[in-house]
Amino acid sequence: MVTVHDVAARSGVSIATVSRTLREPHRVSEDTRDRVLAAVDALGYRPNRAASSLRRGRTGVVALVVPDIENPYFASMTKGAQVVCRERGYGLVVVDTTERADVEDEEVRALRSQIDGLILASSRLTDDRLAEVAESTTCVLINRDLGDRAPTTPTVTIDEDAAASQAVEHLYGLGHRRVTYVGGPTRSWSQARRAHGIAAAAARCQGLELIELADCAPTSDGGRAVAAEVLATGSTGVIAYNDFVALGLLAQWTEAGVRVPDDVSLVGFDDTYVTGLVTPPLTSVGADLRELGDAAVGLLIDRIDGAESSPQSLHRSVHPTLAVRSSTAAPRG
């Protein structure tokens, strides 16, 4: 059986350096990393994670908690997290809370004794409860920021103000002067940030009337349920809380004979892979979702390993990009 001693001998480094390379590749030089990984591949070495975890007094496992794993937004985020976990020698447990704060709370309580760290993505917990979790657990927050209540808890967020501005300014630039924003769950931090950003961007656009519909379920069924109400506003442009809501609107309108973008232009949020699977392809604003998961795992494992971080490096913001597709056009007439 190939051992760490064999890898060290082949790559010309110490056993400690091999272990460090496999656990913390960012902490060794590129030349050393390449030699060690080449030896690992050539010899077919597989580290014994269980034994390593026992020696370090850790489980070697981290958890990612998401509100809806069926949503491609969280699926893409999980991909990024999984890649970094593998690179740094950790197992990843993914938990779906089905958009329920009580389930999330139960899962967090159950997980804490079984993992080394926790990533909470788009948490549905209250600020008070989330602050308690952040204080008692090694964790990172995605799409949530408690500000002064937990200033040393690492966070990874999307610049929602920039995303909102891009969506509003795109429709305004096409000539739309009445726009409806179909907002998501009121308990969602992302919803609060998006609503704020959209309102601020609309206020900067002279002559633009913004209509806001609140608390739509963040699903395609949620979009279908409010499709008629959105049309009743008389808006020529619509921004949906996420791509799923946008797809529900699009499906319901298509069945009713409403044409997108001839009758109404439609913009989604998150720019998930589903935007190109519908007709017309959906204009959407979003960030690199794998980057969110990648950054969160990196911050978490650094925290687990006791790496020193500056206050600024604890909070990372991912910049969004608007992808213009066929669901938006200048209003007719």
Side-chain angles (χ1 to χ4, degrees), residues 6 8 19 27 46 52 66 93 140 147 174 234 236 249 258 294 308:
D6 300 317
S19 297
R27 298 185 66 180
R46 294 293 179 269
S52 176
V66 301
V93 173
V140 173
L174 290 172
T236 60
L249 292 169
V258 177
D294 182 318
E308 293 185 8

Side-chain angles (χ1 to χ4, degrees), residues 160 163-164 167-168 171 178-186 188-200 202 208-216 218 226 229-230 233 235-243 245-246 249 253 265-270 285:
E160 298 287 4
V168 171
L171 290 176
R178 176 177 286 184
V179 172
T180 290
Y181 170 56
V182 182
T186 54
S188 165
W189 184 87
S190 294
Q191 153 59 18
R193 295 304 309 158
R194 289 175 185 180
H196 175 272
I198 287 171
L208 177 64
E209 179 186 1
L210 175 66
I211 300 166
E212 296 183 68
L213 301 179
D215 208 22
C216 175
V226 300
E229 184 179 359
V230 174
T233 67
S235 296
T236 60
V238 174
I239 303 171
Y241 168 70
N242 65 15
D243 292 339
V245 172
L249 292 169
W253 289 341
S265 285
L266 180 61
V267 178
F269 255 96
D270 299 333
V285 60

Side-chain angles (χ1 to χ4, degrees), residues 2 28 63 69 73 100 106 117 133 176 183 200 206 212 217 220 224 230-231 238-239 250 272 296 301 324 332:
V2 178
V28 299
I69 195 61
Y73 179 94
R100 290 177 52 184
E106 290 173 5
V133 173
H176 297 275
Q206 186 174 6
E212 296 183 68
S220 57
R224 280 181 172 273
V230 174
L231 285 182
V238 174
I239 303 171
L250 178 61
T272 54
I301 295 177
V324 179
R332 297 179 66 184

